[in-house]
Amino acid sequence: MSDGPRPVSPGIETAPAHVAIIMDGNGRWAQMRGLPRQEGHRRGLEALRRTVRNAGDLGIRVLTLYSFSTENWRRPKAEVSFLLGLLRRFVENDLAELHEAGVRVRIIGSRADLAPDLRLLIERAESMTAANHGLTLVVAFNYGSRDELVRVTRALAADVAAGRLSPEAIDEDMLTARLDTGALPEPDLVIRTSGESRISNFLLWQAAYAEFVFTPVLWPDFDRKALEDAVTEYRRRERRFGGVNETAACNVGVA
């Protein structure tokens, strides 16, 4: 993954701590070039590698990538098989270099129905990098936010039924702690590529107060400039988390 030292971008201190990306547009990228969809996915993996490198340069501490959703199983079997193969190759080929670079890898999503060898790969990636303190790379694989919330709800309900938990004790913090993202910070910025303006069942709870940037760039073309442009747009935003900026309120005569 390494391609030599790169300059750290200015304004790194104001970079979003957690950036989440819906990687979209591989198929359209390939179709526009008369290529098979698989080639779009291959180029998308190259874009993923670039983005991991560039995120660290920009001061991003957590990068979450939506790689395969619970709904993606509905795609043609050949395409699903190819995507699963890409994940295997990514772990097998890139894990050592990610580990050397201090990247901590987390995989979120349901593992219940995954093939045993795939579960072992995921566990190896997480265990090998668990003690690293650099960029945290979160890969959302077989992930759907509604599925995640159902799984958490069932677990809480089971605890209540077993007498281990009082219903009154359930609050936002408890639910948040039981999500796949666990102790990770909530995303500051969510980016979706390919010009689509929806979040497709991604981090519904966690992204409640995230800033969203929708870019027309297709994922295989997503490069350092595209990431920098999204971060620049984020820096222009005023984040109030449901409150009111006192200076802005005074300027418009609001008490």
Side-chain angles (χ1 to χ4, degrees):
M1 286 178 59
S2 176
D3 54 3
R6 297 170 300 280
V8 174
S9 295
I12 195 170
E13 68 282 354
T14 57
H18 183 174
V19 173
I21 305 180
I22 302 171
M23 305 180 292
D24 191 23
N26 292 346
R28 272 169 284 172
W29 184 93
Q31 185 179 31
M32 288 167 60
R33 291 160 176 78
L35 299 170
R37 288 177 63 85
Q38 286 88 338
E39 183 60 25
H41 293 313
R42 285 194 194 95
R43 297 299 182 91
L45 182 57
E46 293 176 11
L48 186 157
R49 293 183 174 118
R50 286 197 303 269
T51 303
V52 171
R53 292 195 297 266
N54 293 330
D57 293 344
L58 293 173
I60 295 163
R61 298 199 299 273
V62 181
L63 176 67
T64 298
L65 301 174
Y66 201 10
S67 67
F68 191 89
S69 76
T70 51
E71 291 77 24
N72 285 157
W73 295 105
R74 302 170 188 166
R75 294 186 178 189
K77 289 184 178 179
E79 183 173 357
V80 169
S81 178
F82 184 83
L83 289 169
L84 296 180
L86 279 183
L87 176 68
R88 289 185 173 93
R89 285 196 290 276
F90 175 70
V91 173
E92 292 168 350
N93 298 337
D94 292 69
L95 183 58
E97 191 167 350
L98 289 169
H99 181 45
E100 185 178 350
V103 175
R104 181 167 65 115
V105 178
R106 287 276 302 275
I107 314 292
I108 63 173
S110 175
R111 303 182 190 183
D113 299 321
L114 297 181
D117 69 314
L118 198 50
R119 288 202 301 271
L120 285 173
L121 275 178
I122 289 171
E123 291 165 6
R124 181 162 68 90
E126 291 185 324
S127 61
M128 178 185 290
T129 63
N132 292 343
H133 298 288
L135 173 76
T136 296
L137 173 62
V138 184
V139 180
F141 177 79
N142 195 27
Y143 174 86
S145 194
R146 289 181 174 181
D147 172 74
E148 175 186 36
L149 290 167
V150 167
R151 286 187 279 112
V152 171
T153 302
R154 285 175 177 166
L156 291 170
D159 284 348
V160 170
R164 294 186 296 265
L165 180 65
S166 165
E168 291 75 21
I170 300 173
D171 58 13
E172 289 187 13
D173 290 339
M174 181 179 291
L175 195 152
T176 298
R178 296 210 185 191
L179 295 172
D180 293 350
T181 46
L184 293 171
E186 293 183 346
D188 302 293
L189 170 63
V190 177
I191 303 168
R192 181 169 186 146
T193 61
S194 85
E196 302 292 348
S197 301
R198 57 182 180 273
I199 60 175
S200 297
N201 197 18
F202 182 53
L203 301 179
L204 299 178
W205 177 278
Q206 298 91 329
Y209 285 102
E211 297 295 324
F212 287 80
V213 171
F214 300 102
T215 173
V217 177
L218 299 174
W219 177 246
D221 292 328
F222 194 84
D223 56 11
R224 184 185 181 94
K225 182 180 183 303
L227 182 58
E228 287 180 337
D229 287 348
V231 170
T232 297
E233 174 60 27
Y234 166 84
R235 291 187 181 122
R236 294 193 186 106
R237 308 278 179 88
E238 180 188 332
R239 305 186 73 198
R240 296 188 297 275
F241 300 95
V244 176
N245 181 293
E246 293 184 8
T247 301
C250 290
N251 288 341
V252 295
V254 177

